[in-house]
Amino acid sequence: MGCITTYTRKKFDPLHPQAADFDIRDIAHALAFTCRGNGHVKRFFSVGQHCVTCAKEAIARGYSDRVVLACLLHDASEAYMSDVPRPFKEVLPEYVKAEEKLIDLVYLTFLGSTLSDEEQKLVKKVDDDLLYYDMKELLDVTLDGIAPYINICLDYSERRFEEVEREYLDIYKRYKME
């Protein structure tokens, strides 16, 4: 497979990623331009906005800086591989393996190691809790169960790509691992 050219003009091979090829600016930029739900939403809401919201919720829950950053980065693979809806992933085991390899390398690159089982659970909980509200607000679909408690005010307004990208980068700079 060939490489993609990123926003910062790097050549990136999603199936053979190298840590040195990641650039947080590429991730922030691409996710700000990527629509949540493969575009099947009432209005544009980016994956970048979702990741920023996840990070803000993790902050509000008092999670560690590392978990906040993991929440911000949890969909970073979509900057390089796009996304595949969950039902379709079930029949694409090679895609799932490549995605897992890519996100593990993202965490290793930006956090210094992959996530522990406990950290993975915290990130997934934030992501799933916000999915409940994403489905309700963006698709008029109410998922089964009780609405999860959210600590922040959710904002589904359409935002300029540049604003989302800047906020993503600001959160990254504040919480990045030294």
Side-chain angles (χ1 to χ4, degrees):
M1 178 178 173
C3 296
I4 63 171
T5 302
T6 68
Y7 171 67
T8 61
R9 305 305 180 256
K10 290 185 179 192
K11 300 296 182 198
F12 190 94
D13 183 345
L15 293 179
H16 303 98
Q18 303 296 314
D21 295 335
F22 287 117
D23 190 311
I24 195 66
R25 295 172 298 167
D26 288 329
I27 295 168
H29 183 82
L31 295 183
F33 276 88
T34 303
C35 190
R36 186 99 163 110
N38 281 4
H40 296 283
V41 291
K42 291 191 298 188
R43 65 186 161 282
F44 187 84
F45 184 76
S46 74
V47 174
Q49 285 173 269
H50 165 73
C51 291
V52 163
T53 303
C54 286
K56 287 179 174 180
E57 179 62 21
I59 293 165
R61 291 181 184 191
Y63 292 165
S64 69
D65 290 1
R66 184 176 155 85
V67 172
V68 169
L69 196 55
C71 284
L72 185 70
L73 293 165
H74 80 279
D75 283 334
S77 61
E78 294 181 32
Y80 302 100
M81 297 178 65
S82 297
D83 191 23
V84 172
R86 286 184 186 185
F88 198 41
K89 280 184 185 177
E90 293 174 11
V91 297
L92 297 173
E94 293 303 315
Y95 176 90
V96 172
K97 282 186 211 173
E99 182 182 43
E100 288 171 357
K101 178 181 174 183
L102 187 57
I103 198 64
D104 280 348
L105 188 56
V106 165
Y107 290 141
L108 185 61
T109 301
F110 294 105
L111 300 175
S113 67
T114 57
L115 299 182
S116 69
D117 289 343
E118 182 60 29
E119 290 169 330
Q120 286 179 3
K121 287 178 188 173
L122 293 173
V123 172
K124 182 159 180 37
K125 177 73 171 135
V126 170
D127 191 30
D128 286 348
D129 286 353
L130 289 172
L131 176 64
Y132 179 95
Y133 293 98
D134 290 356
M135 295 292 288
K136 185 175 181 179
E137 179 63 29
L138 299 171
L139 290 169
D140 295 323
V141 172
T142 301
L143 299 177
D144 292 336
I146 298 169
Y149 180 78
I150 298 295
N151 295 281
I152 62 173
C153 292
L154 298 175
D155 179 6
Y156 288 97
S157 62
E158 289 186 48
R159 296 181 57 206
R160 293 176 49 93
F161 304 120
E162 299 86 358
E163 291 173 18
V164 174
E165 184 176 349
R166 185 173 40 255
E167 187 172 16
Y168 191 103
L169 290 171
D170 287 347
I171 292 171
Y172 172 76
K173 287 174 189 167
R174 180 170 177 207
Y175 290 91
K176 72 180 177 179
M177 309 275 86
E178 299 295 337

